[in-house]
């Protein structure tokens, strides 16, 4: 089979619980040869430290992945951007990318995207992704949801975003937190039509 086409993905990590979802997406995406433009908000960085012991300021993502999960070939290129840099390449629709994922997506960033506020690079890149009619996938994590959250989710869905809530299924019999996270990453990849083998497709038991 010919190799899958290399994609350029924008990945944003914001300050909701579930930094592991982002880590597993980076791992799978880079190993599959996709190029990733990464931007993490301040609280996204904090949650990466608190939940995954990954400090983006001091640690190179590839070495961290090697140390945590064992060495792997990563043919995708990782480019880091600063949240405050509204002059970054991914702030402009003149740059091409194949899709953007906000994983995990806080209710605050969701509100910013829903309002078209574009005050930081996460919100601006999401705004551009929507205006250029490219796929935008949000992985929100909050519970319970108030009416404002629900209305914001509806608003961004109407504008073209796909909501993949951080709600892993259990029918694959996950053995680890990584299995749970990979379930969500697989769902995100499916939305973006990126082939993956993160979990087997469901088979009816008849
Ligand atoms: C430990 C911790 C966990 C948090 N978990 C969530 C969460 O699951 N969902 C959420 O919407 N906000 C959560 N927050 C609050 C957000 O981090 C906060 O609203 C922040 O302003 C989000 O900014 P950002 O979207 O720019 O990252 C959490 C904050 C902390 C410190």
């Amino acid at each position: 089979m010919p190799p899958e086409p290399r994609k350029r993905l924008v990945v944003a990590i914001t300050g909701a619980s579930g930094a592991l979802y982002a880590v597993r997406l980076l791992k799978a995406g880079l190993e599959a040869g996709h190029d990733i433009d990464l931007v993490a908000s301040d609280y996204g960085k904090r949650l990466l430290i608190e939940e995954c012991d990954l400090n983006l300021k001091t640690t190179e993502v590839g070495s961290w992945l090697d140390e945590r999960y064992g060495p792997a070939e990563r043919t995708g290129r990782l480019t880091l951007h600063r949240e405050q840099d509204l002059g970054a390449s991914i702030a402009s629709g003149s740059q091409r990318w194949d899709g953007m994922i906000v994983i995990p997506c806080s209710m605050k960033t969701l509100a910013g995207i829903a309002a078209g506020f574009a005050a930081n690079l996460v919100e601006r890149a999401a705004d551009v992704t929507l205006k250029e009619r490219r796929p935008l996938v949000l992985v929100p994590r909050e519970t319970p949801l108030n009416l404002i959250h629900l209305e914001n989710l509806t608003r961004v869905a109407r504008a073209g975003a796909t909501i993949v809530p951080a709600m892993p299924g259990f029918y694959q019999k996950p053995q680890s937190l990584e299995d749970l996270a990979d379930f969500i990453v697989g769902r995100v990849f499916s939305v973006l039509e990126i082939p993956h083998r993160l979990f087997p497709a469901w088979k009816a038991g008849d």
Side-chain angles (χ1 to χ4, degrees):
M1 282 220 311
E4 290 301 328
R6 194 181 182 105
K7 300 215 181 210
R8 181 180 181 189
L9 304 172
V10 174
V11 176
I13 303 175
T14 68
S17 186
L20 186 63
Y21 293 118
V23 162
R24 296 298 291 183
L25 184 135
L26 293 177
K27 179 180 186 301
L30 294 171
E31 285 177 14
H34 302 297
D35 295 329
I36 294 179
D37 287 79
L38 176 65
V39 53
S41 69
D42 282 347
Y43 274 93
K45 286 188 197 129
R46 174 168 165 175
L47 270 284
L48 272 171
I49 295 171
E50 290 191 12
E51 297 185 340
C52 296
D53 299 315
L54 168 57
N55 187 336
L56 282 185
K57 286 190 192 135
T58 57
T59 313
E60 200 256 320
V61 172
S63 334
W64 185 92
L65 287 171
D66 282 347
E67 206 171 295
R68 178 68 66 106
Y69 299 117
E73 197 186 355
R74 278 177 291 276
T75 48
R77 195 177 48 234
L78 181 66
T79 308
L80 264 70
H81 301 278
R82 286 185 308 111
E83 183 195 17
Q84 296 79 14
D85 185 8
L86 290 172
S89 56
I90 55 170
S92 169
S94 62
Q95 288 273 330
R96 295 286 323 163
W97 59 86
D98 299 294
M100 174 170 175
I101 308 124
V102 186
I103 179 167
C105 181
S106 76
M107 294 302 103
K108 180 257 197 182
T109 290
L110 168 68
I113 297 169
F117 198 49
N120 60 35
L121 187 59
V122 176
E123 293 170 1
R124 170 65 187 165
D127 203 51
V128 171
T129 303
L130 287 176
K131 87 180 170 71
E132 300 296 333
R133 302 277 195 271
R134 296 173 195 161
L136 173 66
V137 182
L138 305 185
V139 181
R141 209 242 54 113
E142 187 51 278
T143 195
L145 295 168
N146 66 34
L147 186 58
I148 297 168
H149 302 149
L150 292 166
E151 286 182 348
N152 283 336
L153 287 168
T154 309
R155 195 149 193 221
V156 293
R158 261 199 241 106
T162 302
I163 312 298
V164 179
M167 289 179 184
F170 288 79
Y171 52 83
Q172 305 285 358
K173 301 199 172 57
Q175 304 294 308
S176 64
L177 293 181
E178 280 74 15
D179 287 350
L180 284 171
D182 285 354
F183 180 90
I184 296 301
V185 175
R187 290 299 198 192
V188 169
F189 281 177
S190 298
V191 170
L192 296 168
E193 298 185 355
I194 297 174
H196 68 86
R197 273 186 246 110
L198 290 165
F199 55 83
W202 168 252
K203 282 205 198 90
D206 53 8

